[in-house]
Amino acid sequence: MTTARPSPPAGDETPHPWQPTTAAAGGLAPKATRREIFAWALYDWANSAYSTLSITVLVLYIKTDVLPGNAGTLLVGLGLGVTTFVSALLSPVLGAVADANGSKRRWLGLTAFSGAAASMLMFFTSAEHAWVMVVLYVVSLMGMELSQTFYNAFLPELARDDQMDRVSAFGYALGYVGGGLALAIALLLFKVSGPLGLSELACKRLGLLLMGVWWAVFTLPSVFILRDKSPGGGQRKPFLQAARIAFGNIGHTLKNIRSYRMLTIFMLGFLIYNDGVQTVISQSSVFAIDKLGMGQTELVGVVLMIQCIAFPGAIAVGRLAERFGQKAVLIGCLAIWTAILACSFLVSEKWHFWCMAGVAALVLGGTQSVSRSIMGLMTPPEHTGEFFGFFNFSGKATSVLGPSFFSVVLATTNSPNLALASLLAFFLVGWAIIAPLNVAEGQRQARREG
């Protein structure tokens, strides 16, 4: 579908590597300017500060200062699990509502700024008002999870088919740089706390303030510059009416799921192998602590190294996908993950772990990036919010399975090596599911049904 759009602002007329040369190249939405693509990618930079600081400063603050002991551990675990589950259920519905109203930008702003505001307000929390921390933690998590649906749904509207891999990779690459820089600033704050006369508690609170401010400030370009290009734009409906349309669209999609056979195959495979990726990320610290005796400072160092390596890794995988095809590169990434986890059975020294983390970082962003571009290629243009809502659901639906599997193997065998190596089953099963995937056929199905 081709729609008219105003001329780009002065200074944006020059074509660039990501800019289509026709209004509907590849059968997708009109071309995006350099400014639009950069504004979109900045949201990866914005929310990555939450990703890195929440698993370091935020978790430490909750467990040691607000709710020490088992209460803090319970809040972190249950809060993450429940919020992930609820946001997974809401994502397809809210995505379809955004399609019906052409309101992805408004929903992105609402969810992102709500999460960022909750993060900033954590600066004022204390043990005396622990219930406030519970509410803010849940709101921040919910904002983070839901905003991803609307952010990702812009990808097919900004990039034509032959640019999807590069644009998706650019977003992830910026995210790793932004998340690493935010974490480095927080660490620097702790290092200079003595000369500045700041207590460790004050540094933690300032770290949370930084997390929220970073998220909010770097979200502004996306909210101000991006515009919905879906057919629903300009036909704003009351929320209840849009919700009725959304449920109708979701029902139609599920009823005609066979029409999207390739997309269904991909999302089933993604559901499995992505759980493996997320579990490796979340449980590797358990392995490092239990098996290798690594301390908090060393683990933060590993996280920073991963952020640095994942940046060029994501870019490289995007370029490889353009040259060799998305499916071939995705299978290559899964093969590397499988090799890493097979070798993890032999890890016995800290330097082994550093090497393993470095290799994983090379394909970490790439696996996520090429998965997002495959989803964008096989998504009907009129239903980007709804389908990326299903993508978010697919990425979260089994989020409890991987960590539970790891924990059961660890408790049963008392072997961190075996527990980590056992996760290769997720990559092998996911690999087997996507084996018959045909991206080109998935594109044809999406255009025909869309």
Side-chain angles (χ1 to χ4, degrees):
M1 176 176 180
T2 304
T3 56
R5 54 171 284 123
S7 300
D12 249 1
E13 297 87 345
T14 304
H16 57 90
W18 298 324
Q19 185 170 329
T21 56
T22 60
L28 289 176
K31 64 182 180 181
T33 64
R34 185 199 307 266
R35 182 167 171 258
E36 288 173 317
I37 291 175
F38 187 69
W40 174 80
L42 267 182
Y43 187 68
D44 247 317
W45 171 289
N47 67 48
S48 290
Y50 184 85
S51 299
T52 55
L53 293 176
S54 65
I55 63 175
T56 51
V57 178
L58 176 56
V59 170
L60 184 64
Y61 181 61
I62 291 175
K63 289 186 175 183
T64 61
D65 300 294
V66 179
L67 289 168
N70 292 334
T73 301
L74 189 63
L75 170 60
V76 172
L78 285 180
L80 181 60
V82 172
T83 304
T84 298
F85 178 74
V86 173
S87 65
L89 292 178
L90 288 176
S91 290
V93 177
L94 294 182
V97 169
D99 286 334
N101 262 340
S103 57
K104 291 189 297 294
R105 181 174 66 96
R106 288 194 292 271
W107 279 101
L108 174 61
L110 175 63
T111 53
F113 289 134
S114 295
S119 299
M120 287 185 276
L121 289 173
M122 291 177 187
F123 174 81
F124 302 100
T125 58
S126 64
E128 290 76 23
H129 302 94
W131 66 271
V132 176
M133 188 65 190
V134 174
V135 173
L136 294 176
Y137 180 60
V138 169
V139 171
S140 69
L141 280 172
M142 189 71 73
M144 178 65 176
E145 295 292 342
L146 290 177
S147 66
Q148 294 294 328
T149 293
F150 311 109
Y151 167 65
N152 289 332
F154 273 106
L155 178 60
E157 297 184 359
L158 296 173
R160 70 184 191 219
D161 291 357
D162 62 347
Q163 299 172 327
M164 200 78 70
D165 302 302
R166 192 178 299 195
V167 173
S168 179
F170 178 57
Y172 270 107
L174 269 188
Y176 285 115
V177 175
L181 182 58
L183 180 58
I185 293 173
L187 289 177
L188 180 62
L189 183 62
F190 278 92
K191 291 290 185 181
V192 301
S193 59
L196 293 178
L198 296 173
S199 66
E200 182 178 339
L201 177 60
C203 287
K204 292 174 188 175
R205 287 180 169 175
L206 287 172
L208 298 179
L209 184 62
L210 169 67
M211 180 174 73
V213 170
W214 186 289
W215 188 1
V217 169
F218 290 110
T219 297
L220 290 173
S222 297
V223 172
F224 282 122
I225 294 174
L226 295 181
R227 291 294 183 271
D228 286 79
K229 300 170 185 175
S230 59
Q235 303 173 21
R236 190 171 184 181
K237 308 167 187 66
F239 178 79
L240 291 180
Q241 181 184 351
R244 284 194 296 270
I245 295 173
F247 279 110
N249 289 338
I250 291 173
H252 179 269
T253 298
L254 294 176
K255 183 179 179 181
N256 296 278
I257 196 67
R258 292 183 180 179
S259 300
Y260 306 103
R261 180 173 177 271
M262 289 300 153
L263 185 60
T264 303
I265 288 173
F266 169 69
M267 285 200 290
L268 286 175
F270 177 75
L271 182 144
I272 303 299
Y273 73 72
N274 184 66
D275 196 20
V277 172
Q278 299 305 319
T279 305
V280 171
I281 294 172
S282 64
Q283 300 304 314
S284 289
S285 59
V286 176
F287 175 88
I289 294 170
D290 290 357
K291 175 68 179 181
L292 306 175
M294 294 183 74
Q296 186 68 34
T297 301
E298 290 175 295
L299 287 175
V300 171
V302 172
V303 172
L304 284 174
M305 178 199 70
I306 289 173
Q307 298 294 119
C308 293
I309 296 177
F311 166 68
I315 295 293
V317 170
R319 298 296 178 88
L320 289 172
E322 286 184 341
R323 182 172 182 180
F324 299 106
Q326 296 82 12
K327 179 185 174 181
V329 171
L330 175 58
I331 287 177
C333 289
L334 297 182
I336 293 174
W337 278 111
T338 301
I340 291 170
L341 292 171
C343 292
S344 70
F345 190 77
L346 304 175
V347 173
S348 59
E349 303 289 341
K350 291 182 180 179
W351 70 269
H352 295 166
F353 184 80
W354 279 84
C355 291
M356 184 178 71
V359 176
L362 285 173
V363 292
L364 173 60
T367 305
Q368 298 168 322
S369 172
V370 75
S371 296
R372 181 166 67 182
S373 65
I374 290 174
M375 184 68 194
L377 288 168
M378 298 193 296
T379 294
E382 292 84 358
H383 303 290
T384 57
E386 176 190 345
F387 276 67
F388 271 98
F390 280 116
F391 181 64
N392 191 40
F393 175 83
S394 180
K396 308 297 182 183
T398 57
S399 58
V400 179
L401 182 58
S404 300
F405 185 78
F406 177 91
S407 300
V408 168
V409 174
L410 180 60
T412 303
T413 65
N414 200 32
S415 171
N417 291 81
L418 185 58
L420 191 60
S422 68
L423 295 177
L424 66 85
F426 289 85
F427 295 95
L428 292 174
V429 172
W431 187 345
I433 291 174
I434 67 169
L437 178 66
N438 184 321
V439 177
E441 177 60 24
Q443 288 179 266
R444 287 191 289 271
Q445 292 170 356
R447 302 302 181 261
R448 183 175 64 245
E449 295 298 320

